[in-house]
Amino acid sequence: MRLFQKHFCAIAISLWAASPGNAQLLVEPTLHIKAEAGGGRVALTLDACSGRTDTRILSALVENKIPATIFVTGIWLKHNAAAVEIMRAHPELFELENHGGRHVPAVDTPQKIYGIRSAGSPEAVLAEVESGAAALAVTGEPAPKWFRGATAEYSPSTIAMIRKLGFKIAGFSINGDGGSLLGAKETARRIAAAKDGDVIIAHINQPTHAAGEGVVQGLLALKNKGLTFVRLDDADGIGDEGTTD
């Protein structure tokens, strides 16, 4: 478990990783984008939790002109200046949003989610959200409008708190890479199955994992099917659990 916590982003939503007790207490919101008549649209969201940049994914996005919403932590921003510059050089493709300052789950009671210790108090959740926004401000990026917490699970009370801060909370409808733990084939299959209105979650911070190859394969399959990619700010997001209304 320590190795998992140290090396994996652990937004992993795999059912086998969560304890039944936590599953009952916490909320894992979904998010879809509003469908448009006559076209299939999907939103690609990529988490940059810690570690480095998967240039396989970043290069494929630039070369194929695929827009994406990137959720970045303060930790990741400190060590990936070159990738940030590439993203900032392509504002038509990349929208950078808030993934927290230290990649701490936005849960206001002490517990572990996927091996990661939660913020544990309302004050600590507030610090995680605000420090993530502050880290983005240093890069010169526009103020973030969306927040996604580490593990993508929340206390119902923290959802209300984050919304009061002015952020929409980014759930998803397709877990593309299982926290970057899936193989290339399964990752590609999941992403390629996306349909109009889906919001995909995957990771761009694990360059040594096979899942990154699958992310690229899945995205190119969707492009070949004629689906259009949009960023979250370019579409009406409809989330449950009060995350967007």
Side-chain angles (χ1 to χ4, degrees):
M1 186 63 73
R2 289 179 181 175
L3 183 64
F4 180 85
Q5 181 176 356
K6 180 178 180 181
H7 293 291
F8 298 154
C9 173
I11 192 116
I13 319 299
S14 311
L15 294 177
W16 37 263
S19 73
N22 284 355
Q24 293 174 358
L25 294 172
L26 304 180
V27 174
E28 184 181 282
T30 61
L31 180 68
H32 290 83
I33 57 172
K34 186 179 290 186
E36 280 194 343
R41 303 192 309 165
V42 297
L44 171 63
T45 68
L46 295 168
D47 287 1
C49 313
S50 59
R52 297 297 176 177
T53 304
D54 192 331
T55 56
R56 296 170 297 182
I57 299 174
L58 182 57
S59 297
L61 297 179
V62 173
E63 291 169 7
N64 291 278
K65 296 181 171 57
I66 296 176
T69 302
I70 315 293
F71 284 89
V72 298
T73 66
I75 297 171
W76 184 86
L77 287 170
K78 287 181 180 179
H79 302 289
N80 292 274
V84 173
E85 285 306 307
I86 291 172
M87 293 174 186
R88 293 194 67 200
H90 295 276
E92 76 285 3
L93 296 180
F94 299 110
E95 164 193 345
L96 273 59
E97 296 290 351
N98 186 358
H99 196 31
R102 299 185 298 114
H103 198 250
V104 176
V107 172
D108 56 9
T109 55
Q111 57 184 282
K112 285 187 177 182
I113 305 103
Y114 306 116
I116 302 178
R117 193 177 302 278
S118 67
S121 70
E123 295 78 13
V125 172
L126 179 65
E128 172 72 358
V129 177
E130 292 189 332
S131 63
L136 262 173
V138 172
T139 71
E141 280 294 297
K145 301 175 184 177
W146 291 85
F147 176 80
R148 175 180 286 153
T151 75
E153 295 203 3
Y154 309 83
S155 312
S157 52
T158 61
I159 289 177
M161 178 193 309
I162 295 164
R163 291 293 288 123
K164 286 182 180 179
L165 292 173
F167 294 99
K168 294 180 180 180
I169 296 173
F172 54 92
S173 60
I174 291 183
N175 176 14
D177 64 358
S180 192
L181 300 179
L182 295 176
K185 184 176 180 180
E186 176 62 12
T187 298
R189 185 195 67 79
R190 290 188 181 196
I191 292 175
K195 296 179 175 59
D196 187 26
D198 274 325
V199 176
I200 302 165
I201 183 175
H203 293 77
I204 196 169
N205 68 304
Q206 295 290 357
T208 64
H209 289 193
E213 178 185 346
V215 170
V216 174
Q217 292 172 354
L219 294 176
L220 294 181
L222 290 178
K223 183 182 178 184
N224 290 336
K225 290 179 184 178
L227 271 72
T228 300
F229 295 91
V230 297
R231 301 171 300 184
L232 291 183
D233 267 358
D234 298 329
D236 292 328
I238 304 169
D240 62 358
E241 305 290 346
T243 50
T244 62
D245 57 11

